[in-house]
Amino acid sequence: MAHFAQLDENNVVTQVIVVANSDTADANGVEKEYIGAAFCERLFGGTWKQTSYNGKIRKNYAGIGCTYRADIDAFVAPQPFPSWVLNNDTAQWEAPTPMPADAGTGEPPKHYSWDEATTSWREIKTTL
């Protein structure tokens, strides 16, 4: 099965559908994105791009609200905070300061959340 994302006029994903491999294959049975995209266009109209759960196609699985960026050929989630920067190699947003190395360690495990006002990580106190 193949997955295709429909894009609006701003390249924002509006829906993701599953398409049978046979609807993406040429006469020799070789799957081609343009064939699957054309199949989706005939059914629903609009613009379609293939996506994959494992990130092998366009770096990230396309979710509703993600944007397709042609310049890096990737689906990108909405920016979580104004201070975060997009890593063009991974198409993932990164905080200006790395999460503390001890995140997830200890008893109870340490958890952090991003504080945009201070542009730093804040530990979330938990109890067992």
Side-chain angles (χ1 to χ4, degrees):
M1 301 307 263
H3 296 84
F4 282 82
Q6 186 176 38
L7 308 177
D8 70 8
E9 62 279 354
N10 296 312
N11 284 341
V12 175
V13 176
T14 58
Q15 69 173 321
V16 180
I17 63 170
V18 179
V19 176
N21 291 343
S22 60
D23 292 320
T24 67
D26 64 15
N28 297 317
V30 178
E31 294 178 33
K32 308 276 186 177
E33 178 182 9
Y34 74 89
I35 295 172
F39 173 79
C40 295
E41 289 170 18
R42 282 192 305 277
L43 288 178
F44 304 107
T47 302
W48 294 83
K49 293 286 183 184
Q50 192 168 6
T51 187
S52 65
Y53 279 115
N54 61 17
K56 290 186 178 181
I57 301 173
R58 302 203 163 83
K59 300 178 184 171
N60 299 301
Y61 185 73
I64 293 173
C66 290
T67 300
Y68 171 67
R69 293 268 309 267
D71 59 328
I72 57 174
D73 191 29
F75 289 106
V76 177
Q79 187 176 13
F81 299 98
S83 65
W84 287 33
V85 176
L86 184 66
N87 178 324
N88 287 338
D89 293 330
T90 63
Q92 296 287 317
W93 294 101
E94 297 177 351
T97 304
M99 185 179 287
D102 63 353
T105 65
E107 273 303 317
K110 289 188 175 185
H111 295 281
Y112 293 89
S113 68
W114 183 252
D115 183 346
E116 183 65 12
T118 63
T119 61
S120 63
W121 293 97
R122 180 176 44 90
E123 185 177 352
I124 300 171
K125 299 291 184 183
T126 58
T127 57
L128 289 179

